[in-house]
């Protein structure tokens, strides 16, 4: 077993070698084309994730969109279809929300048997301050028809799908939202943490769908189409879908809300913790349904559970930091640590993996082995 000294990170900092910018230094690069990077979660030390530490998940090459040539088109089941340019967009009323985004495949590396897809460990999640206009204002201006049931958001990025089943030729990245969510709190954001979006995070405009897994927050937004029927695009019904049972039989449904989940940042999976000392265990937890109200930690493989201390900062759609002073065993050896979260609506994490979820929605309680020693 590989062990690390206390304080040492799980992963050596990995510099992104695909460009001369230092933007991805310290991040774990899963793929360079398209760009997929995650944060080394051991490094978690703040409530709001710095933009340079925020994971990047792309299906296609990042489109470079000149601001003055960018347009947002709104059409479909609306009385007044229209188009916005950058200046017009920025005149719309703005608001900000702090929201956690987790990729639905975050934690895939821990699944056994292995499933295909990017082998995300714990770092495909982040919490940022997003600023833009609420989607509802844009929809009001377009005057949706009563027939409207869903809103399709489409990005400028495009490419071919590699694995079957797949459509022929290039497609755009697109996802839909039910009208109720679109009219509630969905933001069309042009800023992340107080500055314009970077191209990797969706410049000039992206959706932020609070509480939902990341796939819903469409980047490089170009088209909003109001529709009167369920959208069954590739990233809605083939990818980012899972099997839901009705009367025992599975049907494929789109992935939506983030399920309650806690992650341990420190110690990392292969970290060596000092014996007979107080070790500051820490991490973060989130849930779509309601705020996190309790975190429990076990350091004996799930026999006993003790409450952890919650961080002071919290917000409706943000993660909650937690920490726990672990009095480590006096004898050297292996310890199995676990954590579980509870939200204000009483949800907690499943003990077992549900195979109907495929490679997504990974919120079952994980067992993590750490080495206790000198
Ligand atoms: N247009 C477009 N939007 C997209 C994607 C994409 O590939 N293209 N990836 C989605 C997925 S799967 C996730 S998890 C989030 C990640 O957002 P981030 O790269 O800003 O962290 O963007 C979503 N929006
Ligand atoms: Mo994702």
């Amino acid at each position: 077993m590989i062990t690390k000294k206390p304080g040492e990170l799980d992963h050596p900092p990995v510099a992104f070698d695909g460009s001369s910018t230092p933007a991805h230094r310290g991040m774990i690069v899963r793929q360079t084309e398209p760009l997929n990077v995650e944060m080394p979660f051991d490094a978690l030390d703040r409530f709001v994730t710095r933009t340079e530490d925020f994971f990047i998940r792309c299906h296609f090459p990042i489109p470079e969109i000149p601001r003055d040539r960018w347009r947002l088109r709104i059409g479909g089941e609306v009385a007044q279809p229209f188009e916005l340019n950058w200046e017009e967009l920025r005149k719309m009323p703005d608001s900000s929300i702090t929201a956690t985004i987790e990729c639905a495949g975050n934690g895939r590396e821990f699944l056994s048997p292995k499933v295909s897809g990017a082998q995300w460990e714990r770092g495909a999640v982040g919490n940022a301050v997003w600023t833009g206009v609420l989607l509802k204002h844009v929809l009001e201006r377009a005057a949706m028809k009563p027939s409207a049931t869903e809103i399709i958001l489409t990005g400028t990025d495009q490419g071919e799908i590699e694995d079957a089943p797949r459509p022929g030729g290039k497609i755009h990245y697109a996802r839909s939202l039910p009208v109720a969510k679109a009219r509630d709190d969905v933001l069309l954001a042009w800023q992340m943490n107080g500055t314009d979006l970077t191209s990797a995070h969706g410049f000039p405009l992206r959706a932020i769908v609070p509480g939902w897994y990341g796939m819903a927050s469409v980047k490089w937004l170009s088209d909003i189409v109001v529709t009167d029927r369920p959208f069954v695009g590739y990233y809605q019904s083939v990818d980012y879908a899972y099997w839901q049972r009705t009367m025992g039989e599975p049907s494929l449904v789109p992935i939506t809300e983030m399920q309650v989940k806690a992650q341990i940042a420190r110690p990392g999976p292969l970290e060596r913790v000092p014996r007979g000392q107080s070790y500051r265990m820490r991490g973060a937890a989130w849930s779509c349904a309601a705020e996190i109200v309790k975190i429990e930690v076990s350091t004996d493989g799930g026999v006993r559970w003790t409450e952890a201390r919650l961080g002071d900062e919290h917000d409706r759609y943000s993660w909650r930091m937690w920490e726990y002073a672990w009095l480590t065993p006096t004898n050297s050896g292996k310890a199995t640590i676990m954590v579980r979260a509870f939200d204000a609506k009483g949800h907690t994490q499943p003990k077992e993996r549900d195979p109907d979820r495929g490679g997504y929605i990974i919120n079952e309680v994980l067992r993590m082995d750490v080495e206790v020693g000198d």
Side-chain angles (χ1 to χ4, degrees):
M1 185 180 187
I2 310 161
T3 51
K4 306 261 164 180
K5 292 194 201 81
E8 223 179 314
L9 291 182
D10 250 7
H11 309 275
V14 187
F16 171 57
D17 54 9
S19 91
S20 57
T21 71
H24 308 296
R25 204 148 288 156
M27 299 289 276
I28 303 164
V29 180
R30 296 273 170 226
Q31 206 179 340
T32 50
E33 200 50 64
L35 186 62
N36 285 295
V37 303
E38 71 175 292
M39 178 182 137
F41 202 68
D42 318 50
L44 178 79
D45 65 350
R46 63 195 66 212
F47 181 66
V48 174
T49 312
R50 281 184 303 231
T51 301
E52 60 267 33
D53 296 336
F54 204 97
F55 79 98
I56 298 166
R57 189 355 173 185
C58 302
H59 289 86
F60 303 129
I62 294 171
E64 293 295 338
I65 307 164
R67 189 178 279 173
D68 48 11
R69 276 205 268 131
W70 173 85
R71 297 285 183 279
L72 179 66
R73 292 172 291 270
I74 298 100
E77 296 292 304
V78 298
Q80 292 149 27
F82 69 101
E83 212 179 88
L84 278 177
N85 65 25
W86 177 254
E87 282 73 37
E88 291 161 337
L89 173 80
R90 295 299 303 267
K91 284 188 196 124
M92 299 203 69
D94 65 330
S95 58
S96 295
I97 182 174
T98 309
T100 294
I101 294 185
E102 182 193 16
C103 180
N106 188 39
R108 191 175 286 149
E109 200 197 64
F110 304 114
L111 296 183
S112 85
K114 285 270 166 245
V115 292
S116 61
Q119 294 299 304
W120 302 111
E121 207 221 61
R122 292 164 294 158
V125 59
N127 185 48
V129 183
W130 310 96
T131 305
V133 59
L134 284 166
L135 173 56
K136 73 173 173 201
H137 295 315
V138 173
L139 294 174
E140 272 159 21
R141 189 158 145 191
M144 277 195 284
K145 293 183 182 165
S147 54
T149 56
E150 288 192 8
I151 317 295
I152 306 167
L153 307 177
T154 304
T156 308
D157 56 330
Q158 53 170 336
E160 281 190 35
I161 309 292
E162 278 170 19
D163 301 324
R166 58 183 185 130
K170 287 185 170 184
I171 62 164
H172 287 276
Y173 186 90
R175 280 284 298 193
S176 81
L177 297 166
V179 164
K181 181 68 176 169
R183 272 194 176 133
D184 183 12
D185 51 12
V186 175
L187 197 67
L188 305 183
W190 53 75
Q191 282 197 346
M192 176 179 188
N193 295 333
T195 48
D196 286 353
L197 290 174
T198 61
S199 34
H201 291 295
F203 179 87
L205 190 71
R206 75 174 302 168
I208 292 296
V209 182
W212 287 33
Y213 284 108
M215 78 281 123
S217 293
V218 177
K219 303 191 276 187
W220 312 291
L221 205 57
S222 66
D223 289 87
I224 297 178
V225 175
V226 180
T227 168
D228 60 0
R229 62 204 67 183
F231 175 61
V232 283
Y234 183 81
Y235 292 105
Q236 189 85 15
S237 54
V238 180
D239 202 359
Y240 295 113
Y242 71 109
W243 299 101
Q244 209 175 61
R245 303 261 165 181
T246 18
M247 315 241 283
E249 285 309 307
S251 46
L252 212 45
V253 298
I255 293 171
T256 57
E257 298 184 348
M258 294 193 293
Q259 301 299 300
V260 60
K261 177 171 179 177
Q263 281 194 163
I264 301 172
R266 297 287 306 274
L270 299 173
E271 192 176 319
R272 193 185 181 94
V273 301
R275 66 187 178 94
Q277 287 181 33
S278 176
Y279 180 98
R280 190 173 150 249
M281 266 176 82
R282 55 191 188 271
W286 54 92
S287 170
C288 173
E291 283 198 43
I292 297 295
V293 290
K294 190 168 75 168
I295 297 289
E296 287 179 348
V297 169
S298 172
T299 57
D300 58 7
V303 182
R304 276 167 304 157
W305 292 88
T306 321
E307 233 177 292
R309 200 180 73 80
L310 294 176
D312 296 332
E313 288 168 287
H314 59 102
D315 210 343
R316 173 64 186 88
Y317 286 112
S318 284
W319 63 20
R320 188 100 189 232
M321 314 289 279
W322 60 266
E323 62 174 59
Y324 174 72
W326 176 25
L327 212 51
T328 63
T330 44
N331 296 331
S332 304
K334 197 189 75 174
T336 302
I337 58 173
M338 297 158 84
V339 62
R340 62 186 183 202
F342 298 81
D343 71 23
K345 291 213 170 120
H347 301 111
T348 190
Q349 303 176 235
K351 289 197 181 80
E352 304 291 336
R353 178 80 193 143
D354 175 356
D356 283 346
R357 294 176 173 187
Y360 293 120
I361 324 181
I362 302 152
N363 77 322
E364 57 277 6
V365 176
L366 283 179
R367 300 168 65 88
M368 198 160 98
D369 289 343
V370 293
E371 192 72 20
V372 181
D374 289 306

